[in-house]
Each structure stands twice: as C-alpha cells, then as structure tokens.
Amino acid sequence: MDATERMDRGTAPASAGGCRDLACDVVIAGCGVAGLYAALSLPADCNVVMLSKGAVEECDSMLAQGGICVLPEAGDYDSFFEDTLRAGHYENRRESVDIMIRSSRAVINDLVALGVAFNREADGGLAFTREGAHARPRIVFHQDVTGEAITTALLAQVRRLDNVRILEHAAMVDLLVEDGACAGVRVRAVSEAESAQTVDELLEGEAGACIFEVRAGATILATGGIGGVYQHSTNFPQLTGDAIYLSSKYGIKNEHLDYVQIHPTGLYSPEPGRAFLISESCRGEGAILLNHAGERFTDELQPRDVVAAAMREEMRAEGVDHEWLSFAPVDPEVVRDHFANIRQRCLDEGRDILEEPIPVVPTQHYFMGGIHVDRDSATSMPRLYAAGETSCNGVHGANRLASNSLLEALVFAARAAHRIATGESLAVPAVGEPALDGVHRRGGAYESAMDVLCGASGCVAARG
C-alpha cells in the first residue's frame, strides 16, 4: 500500500484526490441503501471507500415510494413466505426468502434507531399498509417517500463516520483481479453528463480522464439495476448495469439476467426521460385501474407482472398508449397524508388525483436477476461481494413482491459486512424476534460502526 493514499472522511468529487491510487479495507461501489447499510454494518475501525457514479442522491433507493416489508408478528411468517413465492412464480431461493423474512424485524429496528420516522398509528405503534399480492398489511412506510426517508437517514449516519470516505461522480470501470481474486476497482472521475454512460462508453472516452485504482481487501458491488439502458424506466439514468457488465467480463457467475420487472403504473408522459412511479401502495389503499370507457378491467392487487400484462392487453384492445388510475375509492385524507408527494407531482402535471384519474403506463422498474451470490452475498470470485439490485440471491424469483426490494437489499448488505468482518455467516433471528421496539441490538462478534453511532445516541440494547 506504499504507492497509495488513504483519504480523510467525508464526501468529495472523485478528482479531489488528484487521481492518485487509494487503498482501503473495503471498497463499496454504490451509495444506495445496500452500500450505506453495509458501511454501517462493517467494523468501526474498517477503512471504507464508497463510490457514487453520480451525485449521492442519484440512486434508485431514493425513489422507492411504497414502503418496506416487515414480519409484523410470528404468525404471519407462512403467509409472508407464500406471498413472496407466489409473486416470484415459485422460482425463489427458499433459503434466501427465509433469511429475509426472519431478519426483517432487526432491520426495521435499526432504521428507526438510525432516525427513520415511519408513519405511526394513534397509539404510537408502527402503521402498516398493504400492496399488490400481499395477503395482509405488513409494509411500514414514511408517507409516499419511504426510500428517500431511509436513504437520507442512512447517508446522514454514514457521513458521521470517521472511517468512511465517499467519492461522488466516481464511476467503476473495471475490477482489479489478482490470482483469481478481486483486489479492488478501477475508477474514472465523471461529469454529471458522463455519469449516465455505460462502462464501454466511459472507456472509449478515457483519454485524458482522471483514472485511478482503489485497492481493497474486499469489494462490495452495489451499483443498482439496469434501467438506464431503457428508453422508459423509473430508474435514474446512471443505472447502466456496470457491475453486471464487469462480472460477465471476468466470468463471474450471473443468474436470471432476463428477469426484468415492468411496473404497471408509471405516470404516462409523451416526453422522453425517467418515468415517475405511481406507487403500488396507491392500489393497496384502494385506487383502481380504468380503461378509456371508464371500466375496471383487472384485479389491481395481483402480482405486478400480472397487472402489467393485463394493462398491455387492454391497451392493445383499445389501441391506446396508456390507461387510467382512479383514486375515487381512496379516503381523501389518506391521499393528502400518505400520497402527498404523488399528488403534488400530478398537480405539477396539471392533474389533481382527488378530482380525476391520472394516465398510467407499464414501465421498466426493477431487475430480479444479477450477479449470483450466496446467503452471505459472496460472488463466485473470492473477496468480491454484491448486494442490492445488482445481485441475485434468489429472494425475488421471477417477479418481485412489492416492497421487498429495500428489505432484501438491507438484509443481505449486512450479511456481506459480517462475512467480510468475521469470515463467518451471520446468525438468523428466530421467527418473530426481536421485538419491534426501534432499538438497535449489537451483533456481538465485533463492534460495528452502527454500534458506535447508536451507542452515542443511547439506543443500543444488549442481545437477548
């Protein structure tokens, strides 16, 4: 490491270090919830460099609206498990589904302890909502901007850490591979316009660019999905499948690369660019789909792929380029409170969801496939891990159940961190444990950055 430089904490442009090579214990490509939660779950004395291809706010975790699933009580385990498998056409990896569900309560406690203000009932308990293909309400949420609330809270906590450095506009363009193992990543500093380019495009224009290496004992790929390569997607344009491209280049095992989810309700616009998502929780609260004759044509609470297919069929039959979503059956107070952000966006487009239906169209939304990982998010290449949408741990099968994405990303990011720190697999909580009390519990094997932060806030409980 003599030829490299260790950088101070904080957030800075990728070029701030003078394009010099860096060294760290762990490099994390991606600053969405998977990358941020991994950083918080790593040992407090672990030197971490995080890379954001665009600005840190330009990650799809920020865009998640509906909420995040949790096991509300032990008796819901079988139903939650079945709903996840049924949505995924029973192609899910059952071990991964079990791990996700049993780990969900600890994750929600961590988020509350770290400052996420989920909606509450009058008695102070967590409020639960329901979305398509869920047998019951089991989704906690912050209005209709849950992803933003979670990502913002995690980012604020990571920025408090002395051991983490975030580089913005830093695009991973290659892996460093030595003796068959990952030794870090090659990075190019990019402008905002360049941040939407693919790895191939960035390498073609690398002459004179700021390029450097980040050498690391372990590497976590958390670069998100592939929506940036689609003409119409709910994703940020920076999500161009960079990690998938590099895993293919090095023969790292991938899985189900054809499993792409189309969300039934993107806000229709004839203009190009990222589509605004109309959350599935709107339909969970009662909103209905109508054709151009004002007729309801499908059960809105079926899995996403089924509803999207019904919409495409109806659009073809009518010869139209969108259908309509009506909020008429939804309590107006629920619209004003739960869906305030969606209502405001529609108002900006000249439509009030309290007064009229809005035009919606199926839109590319999520990638169920990705880099194959095991129960601890380890890839087929030693010292290389993947978490979040860029990975495939088998939770989602052929189609993702609504509001499982944030949960899956967080659960398996923490497992990657634990495996890196200890070389062992993180123990899975018993069904229904711990209590949903908003208290972070120490893992015991080592002191994580989250342990230190929550300790300073007085929110740590002993395990047990």
Side-chain angles (χ1 to χ4, degrees), residues 16-98:
C19 304
R20 292 186 293 273
D21 293 345
L22 308 174
C24 59
D25 298 315
V26 180
V27 59
I28 302 173
C31 291
V33 295
L36 294 168
Y37 198 61
L40 289 163
S41 301
L42 285 164
D45 59 357
C46 180
N47 188 289
V48 180
V49 172
M50 300 188 70
L51 309 173
S52 177
K53 191 178 182 184
V56 289
E57 295 81 7
E58 295 172 326
C59 67
D60 264 30
S61 299
M62 284 282 191
L63 303 177
Q65 294 176 345
I68 176 171
C69 291
V70 64
L71 183 67
E73 60 208 21
D76 184 45
Y77 175 87
D78 289 341
S79 177
F80 191 173
F81 195 97
E82 172 62 20
D83 286 352
T84 301
L85 263 61
R86 184 167 59 88
H89 297 276
Y90 299 93
E91 295 188 31
N92 319 64
R93 205 182 306 168
R94 292 172 179 253
E95 178 191 41
S96 296
V97 177
D98 173 68

Coordinates of all heavy atoms in Angstrom, one line a residue, residues 16-98:
A16 N -10.9 14.9 -6.4 CA -10.4 15.7 -5.3 C -9.0 15.1 -4.8 O -8.2 15.9 -4.3 CB -11.4 15.7 -4.2
G17 N -8.8 13.8 -5.0 CA -7.6 13.2 -4.6 C -6.4 13.3 -5.6 O -5.4 12.7 -5.4
G18 N -6.6 14.1 -6.6 CA -5.6 14.3 -7.6 C -5.4 13.0 -8.5 O -4.3 12.8 -9.0
C19 N -6.4 12.2 -8.6 CA -6.3 11.0 -9.4 C -5.3 10.0 -8.9 O -4.8 9.2 -9.7 CB -6.1 11.3 -10.9 SG -7.3 12.5 -11.5
R20 N -4.9 10.1 -7.7 CA -4.0 9.1 -7.1 C -4.7 7.8 -6.7 O -5.8 7.9 -6.3 CB -3.2 9.8 -5.9 CG -2.3 10.9 -6.3 CD -1.5 11.4 -5.0 NE -2.4 12.0 -4.0 CZ -2.7 13.3 -4.0 NH1 -2.2 14.1 -5.0 NH2 -3.5 13.8 -3.1
D21 N -3.9 6.7 -6.7 CA -4.4 5.5 -6.3 C -4.7 5.5 -4.8 O -4.0 6.2 -4.0 CB -3.5 4.3 -6.6 CG -3.4 4.1 -8.1 OD1 -4.2 4.6 -8.9 OD2 -2.4 3.4 -8.5
L22 N -5.7 4.7 -4.4 CA -6.1 4.7 -3.0 C -6.0 3.3 -2.5 O -6.1 2.3 -3.2 CB -7.5 5.2 -2.8 CG -7.9 6.6 -3.4 CD1 -9.3 6.9 -3.2 CD2 -7.0 7.7 -2.7
A23 N -6.0 3.1 -1.1 CA -6.1 1.8 -0.5 C -7.0 1.9 0.7 O -7.1 2.9 1.3 CB -4.7 1.4 0.0
C24 N -7.7 0.8 0.9 CA -8.7 0.7 2.0 C -8.9 -0.7 2.3 O -8.4 -1.6 1.6 CB -10.0 1.4 1.6 SG -10.8 0.7 0.2
D25 N -9.7 -1.0 3.4 CA -10.0 -2.3 3.7 C -11.2 -2.9 2.9 O -11.1 -4.0 2.4 CB -10.4 -2.4 5.2 CG -9.3 -2.0 6.1 OD1 -8.2 -2.5 5.9 OD2 -9.5 -1.2 7.1
V26 N -12.1 -2.0 2.6 CA -13.3 -2.4 1.8 C -13.7 -1.2 0.9 O -13.8 -0.1 1.4 CB -14.5 -2.7 2.7 CG1 -15.7 -3.1 1.9 CG2 -14.2 -3.8 3.7
V27 N -13.9 -1.5 -0.4 CA -14.4 -0.5 -1.3 C -15.8 -0.9 -1.6 O -16.1 -2.1 -1.9 CB -13.5 -0.3 -2.5 CG1 -13.4 -1.6 -3.3 CG2 -14.1 0.8 -3.4
I28 N -16.8 0.0 -1.6 CA -18.2 -0.2 -1.9 C -18.5 0.6 -3.1 O -18.5 1.9 -3.1 CB -19.1 0.1 -0.7 CG1 -18.7 -0.7 0.5 CG2 -20.5 -0.2 -1.1 CD1 -19.4 -0.3 1.8
A29 N -18.9 0.0 -4.2 CA -19.3 0.7 -5.4 C -20.8 0.8 -5.4 O -21.6 -0.1 -5.6 CB -18.9 -0.1 -6.7
G30 N -21.3 2.0 -5.0 CA -22.7 2.3 -4.9 C -23.1 2.9 -3.6 O -22.5 2.4 -2.5
C31 N -23.9 3.9 -3.6 CA -24.3 4.6 -2.3 C -25.8 4.6 -2.1 O -26.3 5.5 -1.5 CB -23.8 6.0 -2.4 SG -22.0 6.2 -2.3
G32 N -26.5 3.5 -2.5 CA -27.9 3.3 -2.2 C -28.0 2.7 -0.8 O -27.0 2.6 -0.1
V33 N -29.1 2.1 -0.5 CA -29.3 1.6 0.9 C -28.4 0.4 1.1 O -27.9 0.2 2.2 CB -30.8 1.2 1.1 CG1 -31.7 2.4 1.1 CG2 -31.3 0.2 0.2
A34 N -28.1 -0.4 0.1 CA -27.3 -1.6 0.3 C -25.9 -1.2 0.6 O -25.3 -1.7 1.6 CB -27.3 -2.5 -1.0
G35 N -25.3 -0.2 -0.1 CA -24.0 0.2 0.1 C -23.8 0.9 1.5 O -22.9 0.7 2.2
L36 N -24.8 1.8 1.8 CA -24.8 2.6 3.0 C -24.9 1.7 4.3 O -24.2 1.8 5.2 CB -25.9 3.6 3.0 CG -25.7 4.7 2.0 CD1 -27.0 5.5 1.9 CD2 -24.5 5.6 2.3
Y37 N -25.8 0.7 4.2 CA -26.1 -0.2 5.3 C -24.9 -1.1 5.5 O -24.5 -1.5 6.6 CB -27.4 -1.0 5.1 CG -27.9 -1.6 6.3 CD1 -28.3 -0.8 7.4 CD2 -28.1 -3.0 6.4 CE1 -28.9 -1.4 8.6 CE2 -28.7 -3.6 7.5 CZ -29.1 -2.8 8.6 OH -29.7 -3.4 9.7
A38 N -24.2 -1.5 4.4 CA -23.0 -2.3 4.5 C -21.9 -1.6 5.2 O -21.3 -2.1 6.1 CB -22.6 -2.8 3.1
A39 N -21.8 -0.3 4.9 CA -20.8 0.5 5.6 C -21.0 0.7 7.0 O -20.1 0.6 7.9 CB -20.7 1.9 4.9
L40 N -22.3 0.8 7.4 CA -22.7 0.9 8.8 C -22.5 -0.4 9.6 O -22.3 -0.4 10.8 CB -24.1 1.4 8.9 CG -24.4 2.9 8.5 CD1 -25.9 3.1 8.3 CD2 -23.9 3.8 9.6
S41 N -22.6 -1.5 8.8 CA -22.5 -2.8 9.5 C -21.1 -3.4 9.5 O -20.9 -4.4 10.2 CB -23.4 -3.8 8.7 OG -24.7 -3.4 8.6
L42 N -20.2 -2.7 8.8 CA -18.8 -3.2 8.9 C -18.1 -2.7 10.2 O -18.7 -1.8 10.9 CB -18.0 -2.6 7.7 CG -18.2 -3.2 6.4 CD1 -17.7 -2.3 5.3 CD2 -17.5 -4.6 6.3
P43 N -17.0 -3.3 10.6 CA -16.4 -2.9 11.9 C -16.1 -1.4 11.9 O -15.7 -0.8 10.8 CB -15.1 -3.7 11.9 CG -15.4 -4.9 11.1 CD -16.3 -4.5 10.0
A44 N -16.2 -0.8 13.0 CA -16.0 0.7 13.2 C -14.6 1.1 12.8 O -14.3 2.3 12.5 CB -16.3 1.1 14.6
D45 N -13.6 0.2 12.9 CA -12.2 0.5 12.6 C -11.8 0.1 11.2 O -10.7 0.1 10.8 CB -11.2 -0.1 13.6 CG -11.4 -1.6 13.6 OD1 -12.2 -2.2 12.9 OD2 -10.6 -2.2 14.4
C46 N -12.8 -0.3 10.4 CA -12.6 -0.7 9.0 C -12.5 0.6 8.1 O -13.4 1.4 8.1 CB -13.7 -1.6 8.5 SG -13.6 -2.2 6.9
N47 N -11.4 0.7 7.3 CA -11.3 1.8 6.4 C -12.1 1.6 5.1 O -11.8 0.6 4.4 CB -9.8 2.0 6.1 CG -9.6 3.3 5.3 OD1 -9.9 3.4 4.2 ND2 -8.9 4.3 6.0
V48 N -13.1 2.4 4.8 CA -14.0 2.2 3.8 C -14.0 3.3 2.8 O -14.0 4.5 3.2 CB -15.4 2.0 4.3 CG1 -16.4 1.7 3.1 CG2 -15.5 0.8 5.3
V49 N -14.0 3.0 1.5 CA -14.2 4.0 0.4 C -15.4 3.6 -0.3 O -15.6 2.5 -0.7 CB -13.0 4.0 -0.6 CG1 -13.3 4.9 -1.8 CG2 -11.7 4.6 0.1
M50 N -16.4 4.6 -0.5 CA -17.6 4.4 -1.2 C -17.6 5.2 -2.5 O -17.1 6.4 -2.5 CB -18.8 4.8 -0.3 CG -18.9 4.0 1.0 SD -20.5 4.3 1.8 CE -21.7 3.5 0.7
L51 N -18.1 4.6 -3.5 CA -18.1 5.3 -4.8 C -19.6 5.5 -5.3 O -20.4 4.6 -5.2 CB -17.4 4.4 -5.9 CG -16.1 3.9 -5.6 CD1 -15.6 2.9 -6.6 CD2 -15.1 5.1 -5.4
S52 N -19.9 6.8 -5.7 CA -21.2 7.1 -6.3 C -21.0 7.6 -7.7 O -20.2 8.5 -7.9 CB -21.8 8.2 -5.4 OG -23.1 8.6 -6.0
K53 N -21.6 6.9 -8.7 CA -21.4 7.2 -10.1 C -21.8 8.6 -10.4 O -21.2 9.3 -11.2 CB -22.1 6.2 -10.9 CG -21.7 6.3 -12.4 CD -22.4 5.2 -13.2 CE -22.0 5.2 -14.7 NZ -22.8 4.2 -15.5
G54 N -23.0 9.0 -9.8 CA -23.4 10.4 -9.9 C -23.3 11.1 -8.6 O -22.4 10.8 -7.8
A55 N -24.2 12.1 -8.3 CA -24.3 12.6 -7.0 C -24.9 11.5 -6.1 O -25.6 10.6 -6.5 CB -25.2 13.9 -7.0
V56 N -24.6 11.6 -4.8 CA -25.0 10.5 -3.9 C -26.6 10.4 -3.9 O -27.1 9.4 -3.6 CB -24.5 10.7 -2.5 CG1 -23.0 10.5 -2.4 CG2 -24.8 12.1 -1.9
E57 N -27.3 11.5 -4.2 CA -28.7 11.5 -4.1 C -29.3 10.8 -5.4 O -30.5 10.5 -5.4 CB -29.3 12.9 -4.1 CG -29.0 13.6 -2.8 CD -27.6 14.3 -2.8 OE1 -26.9 14.2 -3.8 OE2 -27.2 14.8 -1.7
E58 N -28.5 10.5 -6.4 CA -28.9 9.9 -7.6 C -28.8 8.4 -7.6 O -28.1 7.7 -8.4 CB -28.2 10.5 -8.8 CG -28.4 12.0 -9.0 CD -27.5 12.6 -10.1 OE1 -26.3 12.2 -10.2 OE2 -28.0 13.5 -10.8
C59 N -29.5 7.8 -6.6 CA -29.6 6.3 -6.5 C -31.1 6.0 -6.5 O -31.9 6.7 -5.9 CB -28.8 5.8 -5.3 SG -29.5 6.3 -3.7
D60 N -31.4 4.8 -7.0 CA -32.8 4.4 -7.0 C -33.4 4.2 -5.7 O -34.6 4.2 -5.5 CB -32.9 3.1 -7.9 CG -33.3 3.5 -9.3 OD1 -32.9 4.6 -9.8 OD2 -34.0 2.7 -10.0
S61 N -32.6 3.9 -4.6 CA -33.1 3.8 -3.3 C -33.9 5.0 -2.9 O -34.9 4.9 -2.2 CB -32.0 3.6 -2.3 OG -31.3 2.4 -2.6
M62 N -33.5 6.2 -3.4 CA -34.2 7.4 -3.1 C -35.6 7.4 -3.7 O -36.5 8.2 -3.2 CB -33.4 8.6 -3.7 CG -32.2 9.0 -2.9 SD -32.6 10.0 -1.4 CE -31.0 10.5 -0.9
L63 N -35.8 6.6 -4.7 CA -37.1 6.7 -5.5 C -38.2 5.8 -5.0 O -39.3 5.9 -5.4 CB -36.8 6.4 -7.0 CG -35.8 7.3 -7.6 CD1 -35.6 6.9 -9.1 CD2 -36.2 8.8 -7.6
A64 N -37.8 4.8 -4.1 CA -38.8 3.8 -3.6 C -39.9 4.6 -2.8 O -39.6 5.3 -1.9 CB -38.1 2.8 -2.7
Q65 N -41.1 4.3 -3.2 CA -42.2 5.1 -2.6 C -43.0 4.3 -1.6 O -43.2 4.8 -0.4 CB -43.2 5.5 -3.7 CG -42.6 6.5 -4.7 CD -43.6 6.8 -5.8 OE1 -44.5 6.1 -6.0 NE2 -43.3 7.9 -6.6
G66 N -43.5 3.1 -1.9 CA -44.5 2.4 -1.1 C -44.1 2.1 0.3 O -44.9 2.4 1.2
G67 N -42.9 1.5 0.5 CA -42.6 1.2 1.9 C -41.6 0.0 1.9 O -40.9 -0.3 0.9
I68 N -41.4 -0.6 3.1 CA -40.5 -1.7 3.3 C -41.2 -2.8 4.1 O -41.8 -2.5 5.1 CB -39.2 -1.2 3.9 CG1 -38.3 -2.4 4.2 CG2 -39.5 -0.4 5.2 CD1 -36.9 -2.0 4.7
C69 N -41.2 -4.0 3.6 CA -41.9 -5.1 4.3 C -41.2 -5.4 5.7 O -40.0 -5.3 5.8 CB -41.9 -6.3 3.4 SG -42.9 -6.2 2.0
V70 N -42.0 -5.9 6.6 CA -41.5 -6.5 7.8 C -42.5 -7.5 8.3 O -43.7 -7.5 8.0 CB -41.4 -5.3 8.9 CG1 -42.7 -4.7 9.2 CG2 -40.7 -5.9 10.1
L71 N -41.9 -8.5 9.0 CA -42.8 -9.5 9.6 C -43.5 -8.9 10.8 O -42.8 -8.7 11.9 CB -42.0 -10.7 10.0 CG -42.7 -11.9 10.6 CD1 -43.6 -12.6 9.6 CD2 -41.7 -12.9 11.2
P72 N -44.8 -8.6 10.8 CA -45.4 -7.9 11.9 C -45.5 -8.7 13.2 O -45.6 -8.2 14.3 CB -46.7 -7.5 11.3 CG -47.0 -8.4 10.2 CD -45.7 -8.8 9.7
E73 N -45.6 -10.0 12.9 CA -45.8 -10.9 14.1 C -45.4 -12.3 13.6 O -45.5 -12.6 12.4 CB -47.2 -10.9 14.6 CG -48.2 -11.4 13.6 CD -49.6 -10.7 13.8 OE1 -49.7 -9.7 14.5 OE2 -50.5 -11.3 13.2
A74 N -45.1 -13.2 14.5 CA -44.6 -14.5 14.1 C -45.6 -15.3 13.3 O -45.3 -16.1 12.4 CB -44.2 -15.3 15.4
G75 N -46.9 -15.1 13.6 CA -48.0 -15.8 13.0 C -48.1 -15.5 11.5 O -48.8 -16.2 10.8
D76 N -47.5 -14.4 11.0 CA -47.6 -14.0 9.6 C -46.5 -14.6 8.8 O -46.5 -14.5 7.6 CB -47.5 -12.5 9.5 CG -47.7 -12.0 8.1 OD1 -48.6 -12.5 7.4 OD2 -46.9 -11.1 7.6
Y77 N -45.6 -15.4 9.4 CA -44.4 -15.9 8.6 C -44.8 -16.7 7.4 O -44.4 -16.5 6.3 CB -43.5 -16.8 9.6 CG -42.4 -17.5 8.8 CD1 -41.2 -16.8 8.6 CD2 -42.5 -18.7 8.3 CE1 -40.1 -17.4 7.9 CE2 -41.5 -19.3 7.5 CZ -40.3 -18.7 7.4 OH -39.3 -19.3 6.7
D78 N -45.7 -17.7 7.6 CA -46.1 -18.6 6.5 C -46.8 -17.8 5.3 O -46.5 -18.0 4.2 CB -47.0 -19.7 7.0 CG -46.3 -20.7 7.8 OD1 -45.1 -20.8 7.8 OD2 -47.0 -21.4 8.6
S79 N -47.6 -16.8 5.7 CA -48.3 -16.0 4.7 C -47.3 -15.1 3.9 O -47.4 -15.0 2.7 CB -49.4 -15.2 5.4 OG -50.0 -14.3 4.4
F80 N -46.4 -14.5 4.6 CA -45.4 -13.6 4.0 C -44.5 -14.5 3.1 O -44.2 -14.1 2.0 CB -44.5 -13.0 5.2 CG -43.6 -11.9 4.7 CD1 -42.9 -11.2 5.7 CD2 -43.4 -11.6 3.4 CE1 -42.0 -10.1 5.3 CE2 -42.5 -10.6 3.0 CZ -41.8 -9.8 4.0
F81 N -44.1 -15.6 3.5 CA -43.3 -16.5 2.7 C -44.0 -16.9 1.5 O -43.5 -16.9 0.4 CB -42.9 -17.8 3.6 CG -41.8 -18.6 3.0 CD1 -40.5 -18.5 3.5 CD2 -42.1 -19.6 2.1 CE1 -39.5 -19.3 3.0 CE2 -41.0 -20.4 1.6 CZ -39.8 -20.2 2.0
E82 N -45.3 -17.3 1.6 CA -46.1 -17.8 0.5 C -46.3 -16.6 -0.5 O -46.3 -16.8 -1.7 CB -47.4 -18.4 0.9 CG -48.4 -18.7 -0.2 CD -47.9 -19.7 -1.2 OE1 -46.9 -20.5 -0.8 OE2 -48.4 -19.8 -2.3
D83 N -46.6 -15.4 0.0 CA -46.8 -14.3 -0.9 C -45.6 -14.0 -1.7 O -45.7 -13.7 -2.9 CB -47.2 -13.0 -0.1 CG -48.6 -13.1 0.5 OD1 -49.4 -14.0 0.1 OD2 -49.0 -12.2 1.3
T84 N -44.4 -14.1 -1.1 CA -43.2 -13.8 -1.8 C -42.9 -14.9 -2.9 O -42.5 -14.5 -4.0 CB -42.0 -13.8 -0.8 OG1 -42.2 -12.8 0.2 CG2 -40.7 -13.5 -1.5
L85 N -43.2 -16.1 -2.6 CA -43.0 -17.2 -3.6 C -44.0 -17.1 -4.7 O -43.7 -17.3 -5.9 CB -43.1 -18.6 -2.9 CG -41.8 -19.2 -2.5 CD1 -41.0 -18.4 -1.5 CD2 -42.0 -20.6 -1.9
R86 N -45.3 -16.8 -4.3 CA -46.3 -16.8 -5.3 C -46.0 -15.6 -6.3 O -46.2 -15.8 -7.6 CB -47.7 -16.6 -4.7 CG -48.9 -16.6 -5.7 CD -50.2 -16.7 -5.0 NE -50.4 -15.6 -4.0 CZ -51.0 -14.5 -4.4 NH1 -51.4 -14.3 -5.6 NH2 -51.1 -13.5 -3.5
A87 N -45.6 -14.5 -5.8 CA -45.3 -13.4 -6.7 C -44.1 -13.7 -7.6 O -44.0 -13.4 -8.8 CB -45.0 -12.1 -5.9
G88 N -43.1 -14.5 -7.1 CA -42.0 -14.9 -7.8 C -42.1 -16.2 -8.7 O -41.1 -16.7 -9.1
H89 N -43.4 -16.6 -8.8 CA -43.7 -17.8 -9.6 C -42.9 -19.0 -9.1 O -42.6 -19.9 -9.9 CB -43.4 -17.6 -11.1 CG -44.2 -16.5 -11.7 ND1 -45.5 -16.7 -12.2 CD2 -44.0 -15.2 -11.8 CE1 -46.0 -15.6 -12.6 NE2 -45.1 -14.6 -12.4
Y90 N -42.7 -19.1 -7.8 CA -42.1 -20.2 -7.1 C -40.7 -20.5 -7.7 O -40.2 -21.6 -7.5 CB -43.0 -21.4 -7.1 CG -44.3 -21.2 -6.4 CD1 -45.4 -20.7 -7.1 CD2 -44.4 -21.3 -5.1 CE1 -46.6 -20.4 -6.5 CE2 -45.6 -21.0 -4.4 CZ -46.7 -20.6 -5.1 OH -47.8 -20.3 -4.5
E91 N -40.0 -19.5 -8.2 CA -38.6 -19.7 -8.7 C -37.7 -19.1 -7.7 O -36.5 -18.9 -8.0 CB -38.5 -19.1 -10.1 CG -39.2 -19.8 -11.2 CD -38.9 -19.3 -12.5 OE1 -37.8 -18.9 -12.8 OE2 -39.8 -19.3 -13.4
N92 N -38.2 -18.7 -6.5 CA -37.4 -18.1 -5.5 C -36.4 -19.1 -4.8 O -36.7 -20.3 -4.8 CB -38.2 -17.5 -4.4 CG -39.5 -16.8 -4.9 OD1 -40.3 -17.5 -5.5 ND2 -39.6 -15.5 -4.7
R93 N -35.3 -18.6 -4.3 CA -34.4 -19.5 -3.5 C -35.0 -19.4 -2.1 O -34.9 -18.4 -1.4 CB -33.0 -18.9 -3.5 CG -31.9 -20.0 -3.3 CD -30.5 -19.4 -3.3 NE -30.2 -18.7 -4.5 CZ -29.2 -17.9 -4.6 NH1 -28.3 -17.7 -3.6 NH2 -28.9 -17.2 -5.8
R94 N -35.5 -20.5 -1.6 CA -36.3 -20.5 -0.4 C -35.4 -20.2 0.9 O -35.9 -19.5 1.8 CB -37.0 -21.9 -0.1 CG -38.1 -22.1 -1.2 CD -38.6 -23.6 -1.1 NE -39.7 -23.7 -2.1 CZ -41.0 -23.8 -1.8 NH1 -41.4 -23.8 -0.5 NH2 -41.9 -23.9 -2.7
E95 N -34.2 -20.6 0.9 CA -33.3 -20.2 2.0 C -33.2 -18.7 2.1 O -33.2 -18.1 3.2 CB -31.9 -20.8 1.8 CG -30.9 -20.4 2.9 CD -29.5 -20.8 2.6 OE1 -29.1 -20.6 1.4 OE2 -28.8 -21.2 3.5
S96 N -33.1 -18.0 1.0 CA -32.9 -16.6 1.0 C -34.2 -15.9 1.4 O -34.2 -14.9 2.2 CB -32.5 -16.1 -0.4 OG -31.3 -16.6 -0.8
V97 N -35.3 -16.4 1.0 CA -36.6 -15.8 1.5 C -36.8 -16.0 3.0 O -37.1 -15.0 3.7 CB -37.8 -16.5 0.7 CG1 -39.1 -16.0 1.3 CG2 -37.7 -16.3 -0.8
D98 N -36.4 -17.1 3.5 CA -36.5 -17.3 4.9 C -35.6 -16.4 5.7 O -36.0 -15.8 6.7 CB -36.0 -18.8 5.2 CG -35.9 -19.1 6.7 OD1 -36.9 -19.1 7.4 OD2 -34.8 -19.2 7.2

